mmCIF file of all heavy atoms in Angstrom:
data_model
loop_
_atom_site.group_PDB
_atom_site.id
_atom_site.type_symbol
_atom_site.label_atom_id
_atom_site.label_comp_id
_atom_site.label_asym_id
_atom_site.label_seq_id
_atom_site.Cartn_x
_atom_site.Cartn_y
_atom_site.Cartn_z
ATOM 1 N N ASP L 145 62.202 -2.660 15.286
ATOM 2 C CA ASP L 145 61.093 -1.951 15.933
ATOM 3 C C ASP L 145 60.613 -2.730 17.166
ATOM 4 O O ASP L 145 60.393 -2.154 18.251
ATOM 5 C CB ASP L 145 59.963 -1.802 14.903
ATOM 6 C CG ASP L 145 58.842 -0.876 15.352
ATOM 7 O OD1 ASP L 145 59.082 -0.030 16.226
ATOM 8 O OD2 ASP L 145 57.734 -1.001 14.815
ATOM 9 N N VAL L 161 54.041 3.317 21.634
ATOM 10 C CA VAL L 161 53.816 3.207 20.187
ATOM 11 C C VAL L 161 54.979 3.904 19.472
ATOM 12 O O VAL L 161 55.572 4.839 20.013
ATOM 13 C CB VAL L 161 52.476 3.850 19.744
ATOM 14 C CG1 VAL L 161 51.301 3.052 20.254
ATOM 15 C CG2 VAL L 161 52.375 5.306 20.172
ATOM 16 N N THR L 162 55.266 3.429 18.278
ATOM 17 C CA THR L 162 56.369 4.023 17.504
ATOM 18 C C THR L 162 55.922 5.371 16.959
ATOM 19 O O THR L 162 54.910 5.456 16.259
ATOM 20 C CB THR L 162 56.746 3.107 16.323
ATOM 21 O OG1 THR L 162 56.831 1.766 16.783
ATOM 22 C CG2 THR L 162 58.065 3.521 15.692
ATOM 23 N N ALA L 163 56.688 6.420 17.259
ATOM 24 C CA ALA L 163 56.356 7.756 16.748
ATOM 25 C C ALA L 163 57.233 8.101 15.546
ATOM 26 O O ALA L 163 56.778 8.773 14.622
ATOM 27 C CB ALA L 163 56.533 8.806 17.842
ATOM 28 N N ALA L 164 58.504 7.669 15.559
ATOM 29 C CA ALA L 164 59.412 8.018 14.458
ATOM 30 C C ALA L 164 60.574 7.039 14.394
ATOM 31 O O ALA L 164 61.009 6.500 15.418
ATOM 32 C CB ALA L 164 59.952 9.434 14.662
ATOM 33 N N ASN L 166 64.381 7.113 12.809
ATOM 34 C CA ASN L 166 65.317 8.062 12.206
ATOM 35 C C ASN L 166 66.558 7.367 11.669
ATOM 36 O O ASN L 166 67.229 6.645 12.405
ATOM 37 C CB ASN L 166 65.771 9.102 13.233
ATOM 38 C CG ASN L 166 64.614 9.936 13.701
ATOM 39 O OD1 ASN L 166 63.545 9.899 13.098
ATOM 40 N ND2 ASN L 166 64.813 10.659 14.776
ATOM 41 N N THR L 189 65.020 10.258 27.536
ATOM 42 C CA THR L 189 63.568 10.442 27.591
ATOM 43 C C THR L 189 63.272 11.926 27.594
ATOM 44 O O THR L 189 64.091 12.746 28.031
ATOM 45 C CB THR L 189 62.974 9.817 28.870
ATOM 46 O OG1 THR L 189 63.597 10.430 29.990
ATOM 47 C CG2 THR L 189 63.190 8.326 28.919
ATOM 48 N N PHE L 190 62.079 12.260 27.105
ATOM 49 C CA PHE L 190 61.592 13.640 27.186
ATOM 50 C C PHE L 190 60.320 13.577 28.039
ATOM 51 O O PHE L 190 60.296 12.820 29.007
ATOM 52 C CB PHE L 190 61.414 14.201 25.781
ATOM 53 C CG PHE L 190 62.747 14.271 25.055
ATOM 54 C CD1 PHE L 190 63.184 13.226 24.249
ATOM 55 C CD2 PHE L 190 63.599 15.337 25.259
ATOM 56 C CE1 PHE L 190 64.436 13.260 23.631
ATOM 57 C CE2 PHE L 190 64.851 15.387 24.646
ATOM 58 C CZ PHE L 190 65.259 14.344 23.829
ATOM 59 N N ARG L 191 59.275 14.337 27.729
ATOM 60 C CA ARG L 191 58.118 14.303 28.632
ATOM 61 C C ARG L 191 57.335 12.978 28.503
ATOM 62 O O ARG L 191 57.165 12.255 29.476
ATOM 63 C CB ARG L 191 57.193 15.504 28.366
ATOM 64 C CG ARG L 191 56.298 15.823 29.550
ATOM 65 C CD ARG L 191 55.430 17.033 29.268
ATOM 66 N NE ARG L 191 54.379 16.732 28.307
ATOM 67 C CZ ARG L 191 53.230 16.117 28.605
ATOM 68 N NH1 ARG L 191 52.980 15.771 29.835
ATOM 69 N NH2 ARG L 191 52.326 15.891 27.669
ATOM 70 N N THR L 192 56.941 12.668 27.275
ATOM 71 C CA THR L 192 56.185 11.423 27.061
ATOM 72 C C THR L 192 56.880 10.517 26.039
ATOM 73 O O THR L 192 56.413 9.407 25.793
ATOM 74 C CB THR L 192 54.760 11.731 26.526
ATOM 75 O OG1 THR L 192 54.879 12.341 25.224
ATOM 76 C CG2 THR L 192 54.001 12.663 27.458
ATOM 77 N N SER L 193 57.966 11.002 25.434
ATOM 78 C CA SER L 193 58.633 10.233 24.379
ATOM 79 C C SER L 193 59.983 9.723 24.864
ATOM 80 O O SER L 193 60.605 10.309 25.757
ATOM 81 C CB SER L 193 58.800 11.077 23.117
ATOM 82 O OG SER L 193 59.629 12.176 23.364
ATOM 83 N N VAL L 194 60.416 8.629 24.247
ATOM 84 C CA VAL L 194 61.675 7.997 24.625
ATOM 85 C C VAL L 194 62.409 7.589 23.349
ATOM 86 O O VAL L 194 61.814 7.010 22.448
ATOM 87 C CB VAL L 194 61.417 6.811 25.596
ATOM 88 C CG1 VAL L 194 60.296 5.915 25.136
ATOM 89 C CG2 VAL L 194 62.651 5.984 25.819
ATOM 90 N N THR L 219 61.954 6.414 18.023
ATOM 91 C CA THR L 219 61.296 7.193 19.080
ATOM 92 C C THR L 219 59.921 6.598 19.355
ATOM 93 O O THR L 219 59.145 6.369 18.421
ATOM 94 C CB THR L 219 61.151 8.671 18.668
ATOM 95 O OG1 THR L 219 62.456 9.204 18.474
ATOM 96 C CG2 THR L 219 60.437 9.479 19.749
ATOM 97 N N PHE L 220 59.658 6.353 20.627
ATOM 98 C CA PHE L 220 58.367 5.799 21.060
ATOM 99 C C PHE L 220 57.684 6.800 21.986
ATOM 100 O O PHE L 220 58.352 7.613 22.642
ATOM 101 C CB PHE L 220 58.574 4.477 21.816
ATOM 102 C CG PHE L 220 59.207 3.412 20.973
ATOM 103 C CD1 PHE L 220 60.595 3.276 20.921
ATOM 104 C CD2 PHE L 220 58.432 2.554 20.203
ATOM 105 C CE1 PHE L 220 61.193 2.303 20.125
ATOM 106 C CE2 PHE L 220 59.015 1.586 19.399
ATOM 107 C CZ PHE L 220 60.397 1.459 19.364
ATOM 108 N N VAL L 221 56.357 6.693 22.031
ATOM 109 C CA VAL L 221 55.586 7.512 22.970
ATOM 110 C C VAL L 221 54.783 6.558 23.863
ATOM 111 O O VAL L 221 54.151 5.617 23.365
ATOM 112 C CB VAL L 221 54.645 8.485 22.219
ATOM 113 C CG1 VAL L 221 53.768 9.266 23.187
ATOM 114 C CG2 VAL L 221 55.468 9.456 21.362
ATOM 115 N N ALA L 222 54.862 6.801 25.175
ATOM 116 C CA ALA L 222 54.078 5.990 26.123
ATOM 117 C C ALA L 222 52.632 6.475 26.078
ATOM 118 O O ALA L 222 52.380 7.683 26.076
ATOM 119 C CB ALA L 222 54.653 6.152 27.525
ATOM 120 N N VAL L 223 51.712 5.521 26.025
ATOM 121 C CA VAL L 223 50.290 5.904 25.898
ATOM 122 C C VAL L 223 49.413 5.106 26.867
ATOM 123 O O VAL L 223 49.780 4.007 27.290
ATOM 124 C CB VAL L 223 49.773 5.681 24.451
ATOM 125 C CG1 VAL L 223 50.409 6.643 23.474
ATOM 126 C CG2 VAL L 223 49.953 4.238 24.000
ATOM 127 N N GLY L 227 45.255 5.641 23.934
ATOM 128 C CA GLY L 227 46.279 6.149 23.015
ATOM 129 C C GLY L 227 46.750 7.548 23.340
ATOM 130 O O GLY L 227 47.449 8.175 22.542
ATOM 131 N N ARG L 228 46.386 8.050 24.537
ATOM 132 C CA ARG L 228 46.835 9.400 24.929
ATOM 133 C C ARG L 228 48.216 9.318 25.585
ATOM 134 O O ARG L 228 48.460 8.430 26.421
ATOM 135 C CB ARG L 228 45.845 10.032 25.920
ATOM 136 C CG ARG L 228 44.623 10.666 25.225
ATOM 137 C CD ARG L 228 43.793 11.429 26.234
ATOM 138 N NE ARG L 228 43.278 10.542 27.261
ATOM 139 C CZ ARG L 228 42.041 9.997 27.244
ATOM 140 N NH1 ARG L 228 41.217 10.275 26.264
ATOM 141 N NH2 ARG L 228 41.650 9.187 28.205
ATOM 142 N N PRO L 229 49.131 10.257 25.209
ATOM 143 C CA PRO L 229 50.490 10.225 25.755
ATOM 144 C C PRO L 229 50.526 10.346 27.279
ATOM 145 O O PRO L 229 49.738 11.092 27.863
ATOM 146 C CB PRO L 229 51.154 11.434 25.092
ATOM 147 C CG PRO L 229 50.395 11.652 23.834
ATOM 148 C CD PRO L 229 48.979 11.285 24.163
ATOM 149 N N ILE L 232 56.667 10.003 31.379
ATOM 150 C CA ILE L 232 57.532 8.851 31.690
ATOM 151 C C ILE L 232 58.699 9.261 32.573
ATOM 152 O O ILE L 232 59.018 10.440 32.681
ATOM 153 C CB ILE L 232 58.062 8.194 30.395
ATOM 154 C CG1 ILE L 232 58.771 9.232 29.522
ATOM 155 C CG2 ILE L 232 56.945 7.529 29.634
ATOM 156 C CD1 ILE L 232 59.357 8.653 28.276
ATOM 157 N N ARG L 252 68.700 15.109 17.513
ATOM 158 C CA ARG L 252 67.956 14.167 16.658
ATOM 159 C C ARG L 252 66.451 14.396 16.809
ATOM 160 O O ARG L 252 65.701 14.322 15.834
ATOM 161 C CB ARG L 252 68.316 12.715 17.012
ATOM 162 C CG ARG L 252 69.713 12.311 16.562
ATOM 163 C CD ARG L 252 69.958 10.835 16.748
ATOM 164 N NE ARG L 252 69.972 10.422 18.140
ATOM 165 C CZ ARG L 252 71.033 10.457 18.936
ATOM 166 N NH1 ARG L 252 72.198 10.861 18.465
ATOM 167 N NH2 ARG L 252 70.955 10.066 20.195
ATOM 168 N N ARG L 253 66.007 14.692 18.042
ATOM 169 C CA ARG L 253 64.582 14.965 18.270
ATOM 170 C C ARG L 253 64.156 16.215 17.488
ATOM 171 O O ARG L 253 63.108 16.233 16.840
ATOM 172 C CB ARG L 253 64.363 15.172 19.774
ATOM 173 C CG ARG L 253 63.016 15.729 20.161
ATOM 174 C CD ARG L 253 63.043 15.977 21.666
ATOM 175 N NE ARG L 253 62.071 16.941 22.114
ATOM 176 C CZ ARG L 253 60.843 16.633 22.543
ATOM 177 N NH1 ARG L 253 60.451 15.390 22.547
ATOM 178 N NH2 ARG L 253 60.033 17.561 22.967
ATOM 179 N N SER L 256 63.910 15.380 13.812
ATOM 180 C CA SER L 256 62.736 14.547 13.571
ATOM 181 C C SER L 256 61.456 15.383 13.607
ATOM 182 O O SER L 256 60.566 15.216 12.763
ATOM 183 C CB SER L 256 62.691 13.438 14.628
ATOM 184 O OG SER L 256 61.611 12.592 14.422
ATOM 185 N N LEU L 257 61.381 16.294 14.569
ATOM 186 C CA LEU L 257 60.171 17.129 14.699
ATOM 187 C C LEU L 257 60.055 18.111 13.531
ATOM 188 O O LEU L 257 58.955 18.370 13.041
ATOM 189 C CB LEU L 257 60.173 17.862 16.046
ATOM 190 C CG LEU L 257 59.988 16.955 17.273
ATOM 191 C CD1 LEU L 257 60.146 17.749 18.565
ATOM 192 C CD2 LEU L 257 58.636 16.248 17.250
ATOM 193 N N ALA L 260 58.855 16.188 10.557
ATOM 194 C CA ALA L 260 57.439 15.814 10.717
ATOM 195 C C ALA L 260 56.526 17.039 10.682
ATOM 196 O O ALA L 260 55.310 16.902 10.827
ATOM 197 C CB ALA L 260 57.256 15.062 12.031
ATOM 198 N N ARG L 262 56.456 19.375 12.923
ATOM 199 C CA ARG L 262 55.996 19.667 14.284
ATOM 200 C C ARG L 262 56.843 20.738 14.970
ATOM 201 O O ARG L 262 56.584 21.093 16.110
ATOM 202 C CB ARG L 262 56.046 18.398 15.131
ATOM 203 C CG ARG L 262 54.957 17.395 14.825
ATOM 204 C CD ARG L 262 55.223 16.112 15.571
ATOM 205 N NE ARG L 262 54.092 15.215 15.532
ATOM 206 C CZ ARG L 262 53.191 15.096 16.510
ATOM 207 N NH1 ARG L 262 53.317 15.797 17.601
ATOM 208 N NH2 ARG L 262 52.187 14.254 16.392
HETATM 209 C C1 LIG W 581 52.751 9.248 18.623
HETATM 210 C C2 LIG W 581 51.426 9.842 19.080
HETATM 211 C C3 LIG W 581 50.935 9.084 20.323
HETATM 212 C C4 LIG W 581 51.662 11.308 19.449
HETATM 213 O O1 LIG W 581 50.420 11.805 19.860
HETATM 214 P P1 LIG W 581 50.073 13.391 19.828
HETATM 215 O O2 LIG W 581 48.647 13.530 20.125
HETATM 216 O O3 LIG W 581 50.626 13.999 18.600
HETATM 217 O O4 LIG W 581 50.820 13.877 21.126
HETATM 218 P P2 LIG W 581 51.911 15.022 21.347
HETATM 219 O O5 LIG W 581 51.872 16.106 20.322
HETATM 220 O O6 LIG W 581 51.750 15.394 22.800
HETATM 221 O O7 LIG W 581 53.280 14.235 21.189
HETATM 222 C C5 LIG W 581 53.654 13.267 22.128
HETATM 223 C C6 LIG W 581 55.160 13.115 22.076
HETATM 224 O O8 LIG W 581 55.523 12.547 20.829
HETATM 225 C C7 LIG W 581 56.627 13.266 20.307
HETATM 226 N N1 LIG W 581 56.636 13.111 18.859
HETATM 227 C C8 LIG W 581 55.577 13.100 18.048
HETATM 228 N N2 LIG W 581 55.991 12.944 16.776
HETATM 229 C C9 LIG W 581 57.333 12.835 16.809
HETATM 230 C C10 LIG W 581 58.344 12.675 15.811
HETATM 231 N N3 LIG W 581 58.047 12.575 14.520
HETATM 232 N N4 LIG W 581 59.630 12.623 16.219
HETATM 233 C C11 LIG W 581 59.962 12.706 17.509
HETATM 234 N N5 LIG W 581 59.051 12.875 18.514
HETATM 235 C C12 LIG W 581 57.755 12.930 18.147
HETATM 236 C C13 LIG W 581 56.345 14.695 20.754
HETATM 237 O O9 LIG W 581 57.486 15.520 20.664
HETATM 238 C C14 LIG W 581 55.922 14.442 22.192
HETATM 239 O O10 LIG W 581 57.093 14.184 22.962
HETATM 240 P P3 LIG W 581 57.329 14.778 24.445
HETATM 241 O O11 LIG W 581 56.029 14.668 25.199
HETATM 242 O O12 LIG W 581 58.366 13.885 25.023
HETATM 243 O O13 LIG W 581 57.783 16.197 24.284
HETATM 244 C C15 LIG W 581 50.332 9.787 17.945
HETATM 245 O O14 LIG W 581 50.775 10.581 16.858
HETATM 246 C C16 LIG W 581 50.071 8.374 17.477
HETATM 247 O O15 LIG W 581 49.329 7.633 18.113
HETATM 248 N N6 LIG W 581 50.697 7.992 16.333
HETATM 249 C C17 LIG W 581 50.512 6.651 15.793
HETATM 250 C C18 LIG W 581 51.458 5.671 16.488
HETATM 251 C C19 LIG W 581 51.474 4.358 15.788
HETATM 252 O O16 LIG W 581 50.429 3.813 15.487
HETATM 253 N N7 LIG W 581 52.676 3.823 15.536
HETATM 254 C C20 LIG W 581 52.837 2.666 14.767
HETATM 255 C C21 LIG W 581 53.062 3.094 13.358
HETATM 256 S S1 LIG W 581 52.498 1.965 12.212
#
Side-chain angles (χ1 to χ4, degrees):
D145 190 22
V161 291
T162 314
N166 296 347
T189 58
F190 297 93
R191 201 178 72 80
T192 64
S193 63
V194 46
T219 298
F220 298 90
V221 176
V223 292
R228 278 188 298 263
I232 55 178
R252 288 188 294 274
R253 168 185 158 93
S256 182
L257 291 174
R262 286 172 169 262

